[in-house]
Amino acid sequence: AYNWAAVLQNAVFIPINMLWITGALPPDIGFMLWLIAFSLILAYLWFIARTALALAPMAAASIVGIDLLLNVMISTVANSMR
């Protein structure tokens, strides 16, 4: 289920980012849509972690938080290597 969540993320984020970057959406509205989508995706990842791993709510939130932190750290290191 977690791998398929990435497909959902891309299906949501790509259209929002395309409209925002091309200027079809005003910057404030584009950011607000992105923030709403980001929040919903995090909630969905929390649900997947809680359901698939049979975790307590805070443990699932910790897993999602650690995943997000690791993704940011790896992206930062990878981008600094260019």
Side-chain angles (χ1 to χ4, degrees):
Y2 184 78
N3 289 339
W4 285 104
V7 174
L8 178 64
Q9 289 175 15
N10 288 328
V12 171
F13 280 132
I14 288 174
I16 292 172
N17 286 337
M18 293 298 290
L19 292 171
W20 186 14
I21 290 170
T22 59
L25 287 175
D28 293 341
I29 293 174
F31 178 71
M32 185 58 67
L33 285 175
W34 183 89
L35 191 59
I36 291 168
F38 184 71
S39 300
L40 292 173
I41 294 294
L42 284 179
Y44 181 60
L45 291 174
W46 171 84
F47 175 76
I48 290 172
R50 185 165 184 230
T51 305
L53 301 175
L55 296 174
M58 286 305 294
S62 298
I63 294 291
V64 172
I66 291 168
D67 179 55
L68 180 64
L69 182 64
L70 283 173
N71 281 326
V72 169
M73 289 172 50
I74 290 169
S75 294
T76 301
V77 170
N79 288 334
S80 70
M81 297 174 108
R82 290 184 191 180

